[in-house]
Amino acid sequence: MSVEKNTRPLDEGIVKDFSSRMSYGSYLQLPLLLSAQQPVSQPEHHDELLFIIQHQTTELWLKLVLHELRSAATWLRQDDLGSALKAIARVKHIQKTLTEQWSVLATLTPTEYSQFRGFLGNASGFQSSQYRAVEFILGNKNAKMLPVFESDPESRTMLEELLNAPSIYDEFLAYLDRHGYAVPRSVLDRDVTQAHEFTPGLLPLFKHIYENAADNWPAYEACEELVDLEDNFQLWRFRHLRTVQRTIGMKTGTGGSSGVSFLKKALDLTFFPELFAVRTEIGQ
């Protein structure tokens, strides 16, 4: 059926009365969601809305990332590798979205940002409890981060719980152990409140998996999914660094960090070091 006067007619069955029905807006709580952007600059600067929405959407995606990673850890404990990898695959897509959206914030020029940055006080992405939670669940544990959240008991409790819980990598290594792979006892009994550090004793295990992929396909596939996960995370970190450098140069961060130089150090952090180190060993 053709469209007349560039206007599409509505189907007769389209619901229009929501006085007693749940609508799209009520289901998503849009009045609450869309009223959460409250610029603080005086007078209000045009570009502050971009800055707020960029960070709010990031927090929403991080909420979903945590949801998926927590579930992946549970499924690994239950020996349900397929469901765990499905959750990780979803996280990988979210990571790509998070990385790509830095390009939107990069449209904020140094001059534009400087006109409202002073109103932020000490508010900084460094204080994102969800970002720290993602780092913790992936294995970059750091108890020194906890005091940042003293004024937010709920966030501190969440981080303390993740600090004391096995990471995704810990759960994967325990899964491998239960399925007959030679995981060193020292790795299985390690202090999970500490960041995982490179362990040479894991290299023979991963070399065996990689060099005999056809006979170890589930474990092999899981290793590659974790490599993707770390690659994506490092790309996000790098894009963050470059966006900050593009916007504020070498200024200190609003949260008190040294800024770009502090962010550069994060690029040396790793979640699954043996999965990268084993590549040197394969074929030798």
Side-chain angles (χ1 to χ4, degrees):
M1 183 174 63
S2 61
V3 174
E4 296 182 5
K5 296 183 179 180
N6 202 29
T7 302
R8 178 183 60 175
L10 299 183
D11 293 342
E12 291 184 5
I14 289 179
V15 178
K16 300 176 184 177
D17 181 5
F18 293 96
S19 57
S20 60
R21 296 181 175 94
M22 181 170 63
S23 68
Y24 174 81
S26 59
Y27 173 67
L28 295 178
Q29 298 193 53
L30 289 183
L32 175 64
L33 181 66
L34 298 179
S35 64
Q37 296 75 45
Q38 300 291 329
V40 297
S41 55
Q42 295 291 336
E44 181 179 325
H45 192 276
H46 170 83
D47 295 299
E48 191 180 355
L49 185 61
L50 158 64
F51 192 79
I52 293 172
I53 290 176
Q54 170 87 19
H55 290 82
Q56 287 183 339
T57 53
T58 294
E59 290 296 329
L60 286 172
W61 284 123
L62 288 175
K63 181 175 183 177
L64 184 55
V65 166
L66 280 172
H67 174 70
E68 298 296 340
L69 290 179
R70 288 178 190 273
S71 296
T74 298
W75 282 319
L76 283 171
R77 283 194 295 274
Q78 297 171 349
D79 290 333
D80 186 354
L81 184 61
S83 294
L85 294 186
K86 175 63 166 61
I88 290 172
R90 180 172 291 167
V91 170
K92 287 162 53 179
H93 284 286
I94 298 169
Q95 287 177 307
K96 290 180 180 179
T97 296
L98 285 169
T99 299
E100 289 173 358
Q101 77 175 35
W102 282 118
S103 65
V104 182
L105 191 62
T107 65
L108 184 67
T109 69
T111 302
E112 291 166 344
Y113 184 39
S114 68
Q115 292 174 353
F116 67 85
R117 185 177 187 243
F119 291 95
L120 303 180
N122 293 123
S124 166
F126 180 82
Q127 300 140 19
S128 169
S129 61
Q130 292 196 122
Y131 175 80
R132 295 301 163 205
V134 171
E135 283 197 323
F136 280 18
I137 200 170
L138 289 178
N140 279 160
K141 307 286 186 76
N142 188 347
K144 292 180 180 179
M145 295 291 183
L146 295 181
V148 176
F149 303 96
E150 286 291 347
S151 61
D152 184 356
E154 185 176 348
S155 292
R156 184 187 168 96
T157 297
M158 173 187 67
L159 289 172
E160 280 185 313
E161 290 174 353
L162 289 174
L163 184 72
N164 288 281
S167 70
I168 286 285
Y169 200 34
D170 291 322
E171 297 289 5
F172 176 55
L173 292 171
Y175 166 90
L176 291 177
D177 177 70
R178 292 192 300 273
H179 287 76
Y181 291 94
V183 180
R185 193 75 242 168
S186 61
V187 172
L188 297 172
D189 295 337
R190 81 178 194 90
D191 180 0
V192 298
T193 67
Q194 302 298 310
H196 174 84
E197 296 184 73
F198 175 65
T199 306
L202 283 170
L203 291 182
L205 159 63
F206 289 124
K207 184 178 181 182
H208 170 74
I209 290 173
Y210 272 88
E211 291 185 338
N212 301 276
D215 297 328
N216 300 276
W217 190 261
Y220 172 77
E221 181 183 18
C223 289
E224 285 297 279
E225 288 292 305
L226 291 176
V227 168
D228 287 344
L229 195 63
E230 176 155 343
D231 268 352
N232 288 348
F233 204 98
Q234 291 289 38
L235 286 172
W236 185 92
R237 281 171 166 164
F238 180 75
R239 195 70 180 90
H240 179 201
L241 182 157
R242 296 298 297 181
T243 302
V244 170
Q245 187 170 13
R246 174 178 177 145
T247 308
I248 66 169
M250 303 305 291
K251 293 185 179 75
T252 57
T254 50
S257 76
S258 56
V260 168
S261 61
F262 180 76
L263 295 176
K264 283 182 179 179
K265 295 176 183 177
L267 297 177
D268 292 327
L269 299 175
T270 181
F271 300 120
F272 322 119
E274 297 83 12
L275 294 181
F276 290 88
V278 73
R279 283 149 165 78
T280 306
E281 306 295 323
I282 294 170
Q284 295 187 2

